[in-house]
Amino acid sequence: YALAWSGWLDGWMDGWMVLKMMMRKLMEPRNRFWIVVVAAVLGLWVFYTRGVPVDEEDNNSLDSIHDRLRKSEEAAEEHLKRLNEAQKNFQQSQKDIYKMKRQVNELRNSSSFKTFPDVVVRNEFDRKRILITGGAGFVGSHLVDALMLEGHEVTVIDNFFTGRKRNVDHWIGHPNFELITHDVVNPFMYEVDEIYHLASPASPPHYMYNPIKTIKTNTIGTINMLGLAKRTGARLLLASTSEVYGNPTVHPQPETYFGNVNPDGPRACYDEGKRIAETMCYAYEKQSGVEVRVARIFNTFGPRMHIGDGRVVSNFIIQAIKGNDMTIYGNGEQTRSFQYVSDLVAGLIALMNSDYSQPVNIGNPDEYTIYEFAKYIREEVGNPDCTIVHKPATEDDPQRRKPDITRAKSVLGWAPKVKVHDGLKETIKYFKNELSRPSVKSNDKRGIGGPYGHDFEMPVAKKQPQSP
């Protein structure tokens, strides 16, 4: 141990001597500069490696600043992500709005945005494809209503000579309905199960306005429809008329009566046109096996009669509403029977659905003289100041007209249900509404064509009846 300690002391003393020599050397004036340099370097090294000492509170502030910066960066990233999603949603919304606008335009153009009456829903085996010629007219439009409500597919063809689109406008756009502008004088190719052939002007002023067209409609038009029925196997109902009886010598008129018609008179274009139409129906039935039905229609009235129709009921109602003179041609003792349009439509459908092919009278047997009927309408309108005036009788005007509906009752189970009094109330209401509309008939009548745009004078009878 003594030797060890002595060795250690010797080493320490040697080291101390060396340190003293070094310190002495360093303290020399020529070495003081380097001492300062070394001290400065050591100080900078300590400063940059250890940093500036800060207290604990400053440390916490820095940590919170870092946290806020980090959270702000996260929030910014989340906001940017939401902006991108919003942009995508906006672009999709623009596409959806464009599609919706296009759909709205399509709906407006197709009129399918309209609401329609509820119709019976039928399957393909029970739903008929029905064609109605002249379906935009007075009677035809009411027939359209009845068949559409039953759930059938109805196609109307009309040349609008006397018909109006307004009569069927409430069905335009319905998937079961189609309106085609067409003249039956020209061939028509279609697939149908039933044909109601109503095309023809029916008011004397209208069918006399263009007698050649009236004849062509009732002959060529009927041939075209019979040809269509033959090709498709459809059943055809001809809307004939009580005018086939002419000025009858039998009263009331049964279907077996052959009539008393003047083939050369002003009414012949319509009377004989319907008679040959009936003849053609039965020729096609016998020769080609076409199923036909013939309805002989008597005077009918109701809403949708044209304001310029020119027949007794519309003339009297309009004259009474306006307070004008009520015009009777002749002495007023000639008689007529009037049925409401809904009864006629029911009779036509019953006849079409029956197994009976011979002519059937469809009319109301209640008989009125024209003078009595004028007074009756004047009372219903409530304008007693209207004066009934007489004008010369017209040529070939039937003196008596009353249907014998025995066959309709026994074969079809049909009879009129609406009383004339009730039907007149609805018709008067309709004409009052029509007359309240702004007039479309200008003084010079420009823009109004066809039979409604002309004042037609009925041919005067050569021999006038005696006043009672």
Side-chain angles (χ1 to χ4, degrees):
Y1 288 108
L3 291 171
W5 275 104
S6 63
W8 181 81
L9 284 174
D10 289 340
W12 186 85
M13 290 300 290
D14 292 340
W16 173 252
M17 291 300 289
V18 171
L19 181 62
K20 282 176 69 175
M21 289 174 66
M22 290 178 63
M23 290 297 292
R24 204 177 284 124
K25 288 283 187 183
L26 289 172
M27 293 303 292
E28 292 178 359
R30 62 179 182 179
N31 294 327
R32 287 177 184 175
F33 171 78
W34 297 106
I35 293 172
V36 174
V37 171
V38 171
V41 170
L42 287 173
L44 289 172
W45 179 78
V46 171
F47 179 83
Y48 283 108
T49 55
R50 299 293 299 273
V52 179
V54 292
D55 58 15
E56 186 177 352
E57 186 176 345
D58 290 337
N59 266 331
N60 292 336
S61 298
L62 288 172
D63 291 340
S64 66
I65 290 172
H66 284 298
D67 289 340
R68 286 199 296 270
L69 285 172
R70 179 178 54 80
K71 290 179 180 179
S72 297
E73 289 176 354
E74 292 176 353
E77 290 178 358
E78 184 66 25
H79 185 62
L80 183 60
K81 188 185 295 183
R82 290 179 180 176
L83 282 176
N84 291 332
E85 291 178 357
Q87 187 176 8
K88 291 179 181 178
N89 292 335
F90 177 72
Q91 292 174 349
Q92 184 62 40
S93 298
Q94 283 185 319
K95 292 179 181 178
D96 293 340
I97 291 172
Y98 175 75
K99 289 180 181 178
M100 291 173 66
K101 286 182 178 179
R102 187 174 61 184
Q103 290 173 354
V104 168
N105 290 332
E106 290 175 355
L107 289 172
R108 285 175 177 170
N109 293 335
S110 67
S111 300
S112 59
F113 66 95
K114 295 193 304 186
T115 57
F116 300 99
D118 293 332
V119 301
V120 175
V121 179
R122 296 177 179 269
N123 60 38
E124 293 293 335
F125 297 102
D126 195 33
R127 187 170 62 246
K128 298 176 183 176
R129 300 167 300 174
I130 300 174
L131 176 67
I132 304 177
T133 68
F138 159 50
V139 174
S141 63
H142 285 280
L143 180 60
V144 168
D145 290 347
L147 295 173
M148 283 293 296
L149 291 174
E150 289 184 2
H152 299 294
E153 295 179 9
V154 177
T155 299
V156 168
I157 60 174
D158 204 303
N159 66 352
F160 301 105
F161 180 66
T162 57
R164 294 177 295 172
K165 290 182 181 179
R166 180 178 157 202
N167 289 339
V168 292
D169 179 68
H170 53 288
W171 290 115
I172 294 176
H174 193 284
N176 286 358
F177 179 78
E178 187 172 5
L179 175 63
I180 301 173
T181 302
H182 183 81
D183 194 322
V184 293
V185 171
N186 301 312
F188 185 69
M189 304 298 289
Y190 216 66
E191 297 300 321
V192 293
D193 302 311
E194 292 179 351
I195 302 171
Y196 287 85
H197 182 34
L198 277 61
S200 176
S203 169
H206 294 171
Y207 62 66
M208 292 182 193
Y209 167 75
N210 191 341
I212 294 176
K213 182 165 185 60
T214 301
I215 294 169
K216 290 172 70 175
T217 299
N218 285 291
T219 54
I220 300 173
T222 301
I223 287 177
N224 286 334
M225 289 302 106
L226 286 167
L228 177 62
K230 176 183 175 182
R231 183 182 66 81
T232 60
R235 178 180 293 180
L236 180 141
L237 183 145
L238 172 68
S240 189
T241 174
S242 59
E243 293 293 332
V244 298
Y245 299 126
N247 188 9
T249 57
V250 174
H251 193 77
Q253 294 84 51
E255 291 86 352
T256 53
Y257 176 55
F258 293 161
N260 178 33
V261 177
N262 177 6
D264 303 322
R267 291 175 175 262
C269 61
Y270 185 66
D271 299 359
E272 298 290 14
K274 289 295 185 182
R275 287 165 71 94
I276 189 61
E278 288 190 16
T279 302
M280 287 190 292
C281 283
Y282 292 114
Y284 267 81
E285 180 187 50
K286 293 174 184 176
Q287 183 171 327
S288 303
V290 176
E291 288 190 73
V292 296
R293 305 289 182 266
V294 175
R296 290 177 178 168
I297 301 171
F298 283 68
N299 290 68
T300 307
F301 69 96
R304 298 183 194 159
M305 294 183 77
H306 196 281
I307 199 169
D309 181 79
R311 281 177 279 195
V312 170
V313 176
S314 58
N315 280 353
F316 283 170
I317 292 176
I318 291 170
Q319 289 168 348
I321 292 173
K322 289 183 173 181
N324 298 337
D325 292 341
M326 299 179 70
T327 306
I328 292 177
Y329 294 92
N331 57 19
E333 291 302 304
Q334 61 269 42
T335 66
R336 295 292 184 273
S337 298
F338 301 97
Q339 68 178 335
Y340 192 62
V341 64
S342 62
D343 285 331
L344 170 59
V345 168
L348 294 177
I349 294 174
L351 179 57
M352 174 66 88
N353 295 332
S354 73
D355 294 327
Y356 193 77
S357 63
Q358 292 303 301
V360 177
N361 289 337
I362 305 292
N364 190 329
D366 292 344
E367 188 177 13
Y368 300 85
T369 67
I370 297 299
Y371 184 74
E372 290 173 342
F373 202 64
K375 292 193 297 181
Y376 188 50
I377 289 179
R378 184 173 61 182
E379 293 174 5
E380 287 297 321
V381 172
N383 196 349
D385 295 332
C386 292
T387 303
I388 297 176
V389 299
H390 294 264
K391 287 189 174 183
T394 58
E395 188 175 354
D396 292 338
D397 186 27
Q399 293 306 297
R400 302 192 72 183
R401 186 64 58 78
K402 176 182 177 179
D404 181 341
I405 61 171
T406 304
R407 182 176 289 182
K409 288 180 177 179
S410 60
V411 174
L412 307 180
W414 176 90
K417 296 179 180 179
V418 180
K419 295 180 179 179
V420 173
H421 173 78
D422 297 331
L424 279 176
K425 284 185 176 180
E426 294 298 317
T427 309
I428 290 169
K429 186 189 304 181
Y430 166 78
F431 275 113
K432 283 182 177 179
N433 182 60
E434 286 290 288
L435 291 172
S436 68
R437 297 173 181 270
S439 176
V440 297
K441 191 171 184 179
S442 57
N443 292 331
D444 59 4
K445 300 180 182 177
R446 292 183 63 187
I448 303 175
Y452 299 128
H454 299 79
D455 293 326
F456 184 83
E457 291 293 333
M458 297 287 288
V460 176
K462 296 176 182 178
K463 183 179 180 181
Q464 294 294 315
Q466 299 295 320
S467 299

